[in-house]
Amino acid sequence: MIDMIEKEDPVISEEEAAQYDRQIRLWGLDAQKRLRGSRVLLAGLGGLGAEVAKNLILAGVKGLTLLDHEQVSEESCRAQFLVPVTAQGQNRAQASLERAQNLNPMVEVHADTDRVEDKPDDFFLQFDAVCLTGCSRDLMVRVDQLCSQRNIKVFCGDVHGYYGYMFCNLGQEHNYVEEKPKVVKPTGDSNDGPEAKKAKVDPNETTMVKKTASFCTLKEALEVDWTSEKAKAGLKRTPVDYFLLHVLLKFRTDKGRDPDPQSFAGDSQLLRQIRDDVLEALAVSSDLLNDDFISYCFSEMSPVCAVMGGVLGQEVVKALSQRDPPHRNFFFFDGRKGNGVVDYFGPN
């Protein structure tokens, strides 16, 4: 029998039961209680971060800490609906606090104006889940390795123009329940022939099935050996977005920022060079990622933020409530095509 993670059992008040009535009907009281007892750290209050914050606050977590040292800019006002247009020059986390808190007064929402890179290890260990947006590869790897040792759920995500991705590491053994149609077994004394003796699915009844999923670290997921025969065999089925992610993370590492529309010509040339260098280092053909991607990976687009924020927020809720199968372990979205794909990278 699988033991679910035991936490202090939070009491759902009558007011909370009314507030979360639809959710309780959807995923059950136990799942809502787990969610209500969870504290989440959200780093990065850009367009994607605002969408994730909204979804977690409305879902009813116990507490949400908004961590961001950046100032509100004209661009962030266009993609980020939690900051007032009059807040330019203010800290993004602080400027987002009032509107975020007003979404659901039952959730404890806090703003932290420090740099996420300056936070000591102990800071991250006070949360049940950590969600990183707009962060460097080195920082994400560091926090992921730290939290995975303490059974803290880790999520990473970003939006670059028409493209978006999310990664999650829920630990080597993530337990959850999934609702399945109930299979009705025939009675032993049935004399109606072989068809009557077969098990049948009753669409009107469901049962909860306990399951387990295993995840790897972000470092392992990004360090796939593409020279191995197994990796080569699966290369044609590999989403090109995985390699695009490598390119955009390398750009952020080298420049300390993302591609900027105001430096389109120079950044486009640099993206092309980084593409060639990254794919060569991964030992895959540069033909995997043609030049078309360059025109579509600048800025945060609000519709893509909405999609990715919905998916990322949903995955955090599913992980904390231990309800329904999680995405394992990457989700990629292409706004040009209007579709997304879930794929696993790392050791099996």
Side-chain angles (χ1 to χ4, degrees):
M1 181 176 179
I2 298 174
D3 293 326
M4 303 303 282
I5 298 173
E6 293 298 330
K7 301 182 61 170
E8 180 183 348
D9 192 18
V11 177
I12 300 290
S13 66
E14 289 187 14
E15 186 180 8
E16 288 173 326
Q19 171 87 355
Y20 304 127
D21 177 70
R22 191 177 74 166
Q23 295 163 203
I24 292 173
R25 292 174 187 270
L26 178 63
W27 54 55
L29 182 60
D30 288 343
Q32 187 65 43
K33 282 184 176 181
R34 292 191 192 98
L35 200 59
R36 193 71 188 94
S38 300
R39 295 187 180 276
V40 182
L41 171 66
L42 173 60
L45 266 295
L48 176 59
E51 292 284 352
V52 175
K54 174 201 69 178
N55 293 326
L56 294 181
I57 292 169
L58 292 177
V61 296
K62 181 176 181 60
L64 178 66
T65 297
L66 309 176
L67 175 62
D68 196 322
H69 73 282
E70 297 279 357
Q71 291 184 333
V72 176
S73 64
E74 182 179 351
E75 181 179 352
S76 60
C77 285
R78 288 196 294 265
Q80 217 269 45
F81 54 82
L82 291 178
V83 295
V85 292
T86 56
Q88 289 193 38
Q90 298 178 26
N91 173 268
R92 283 200 303 193
Q94 199 68 49
S96 302
L97 183 60
E98 183 177 358
R99 289 184 177 179
Q101 184 66 80
N102 288 341
L103 290 170
N104 188 351
M106 298 181 187
V107 176
E108 302 168 11
V109 185
H110 304 283
D112 190 324
T113 61
D114 292 345
R115 293 176 60 91
V116 62
E117 293 87 354
D118 296 338
K119 290 294 188 182
D121 290 354
D122 289 348
F123 171 78
F124 300 98
L125 303 182
Q126 63 184 304
F127 302 98
D128 300 286
V130 173
C131 183
L132 305 173
T133 69
C135 296
S136 69
R137 172 173 172 159
D138 288 346
L139 176 73
M140 291 190 292
V141 167
R142 171 203 155 200
V143 174
D144 177 53
Q145 290 182 321
L146 170 70
C147 292
S148 62
Q149 296 170 0
R150 303 296 184 93
N151 201 32
I152 298 171
K153 317 298 184 189
V154 178
F155 301 83
C156 306
D158 272 308
V159 168
H160 299 273
Y162 284 79
Y163 304 107
Y165 89 95
M166 65 143 281
F167 164 84
C168 65
N169 176 10
L170 308 184
Q172 293 186 345
E173 189 175 287
H174 172 65
N175 301 317
Y176 64 95
V177 294
E178 184 177 8
E179 190 171 10
K180 293 279 193 179
K182 190 172 183 179
V183 177
V184 181
K185 295 182 179 179
T187 57
D189 56 353
S190 176
N191 296 316
D192 297 331
E195 287 298 317
K197 295 181 180 180
K198 291 183 179 179
K200 296 181 180 179
V201 174
D202 185 348
N204 298 318
E205 287 193 56
T206 60
T207 184
M208 304 306 292
V209 180
K210 291 184 177 182
K211 294 188 174 183
T212 303
S214 178
F215 291 77
C216 70
T217 65
L218 178 62
K219 187 174 188 292
E220 291 172 315
L222 293 176
E223 293 182 351
V224 175
D225 180 10
W226 293 100
T227 63
S228 69
E229 292 303 318
K230 183 177 180 181
K232 286 180 180 178
L235 196 55
K236 290 184 178 180
R237 301 188 301 273
T238 301
V240 69
D241 310 74
Y242 174 80
F243 300 105
L244 174 59
L245 172 60
H246 275 273
V247 173
L248 292 169
L249 288 178
K250 184 69 165 62
F251 185 102
R252 182 179 288 170
T253 297
D254 291 352
K255 301 291 288 185
R257 60 173 177 82
D258 292 329
D260 187 346
Q262 296 184 349
S263 308
F264 182 80
D267 283 359
S268 296
Q269 185 175 354
L270 184 57
L271 280 167
R272 192 175 294 108
Q273 182 60 54
I274 290 176
R275 184 270 316 271
D276 294 342
D277 294 343
V278 164
L279 296 186
E280 181 180 1
L282 293 173
V284 295
S285 171
S286 59
D287 295 337
L288 279 175
L289 192 58
N290 60 42
D291 287 355
D292 288 349
F293 83 92
I294 294 173
S295 300
Y296 299 98
C297 64
F298 285 76
S299 296
E300 280 188 310
M301 292 190 62
S302 295
V304 181
C305 289
V307 172
M308 288 306 306
V311 173
L312 187 46
Q314 165 192 278
E315 290 307 304
V316 176
V317 168
K318 283 159 57 176
L320 293 174
S321 65
Q322 297 177 278
R323 179 67 191 265
D324 296 330
H327 286 347
R328 180 178 180 264
N329 52 355
F330 277 97
F331 172 80
F332 298 105
F333 179 72
D334 186 339
R336 295 186 302 163
K337 301 175 182 176
N339 62 20
V341 59
V342 177
D343 209 338
Y344 178 80
F345 294 89
N348 290 316

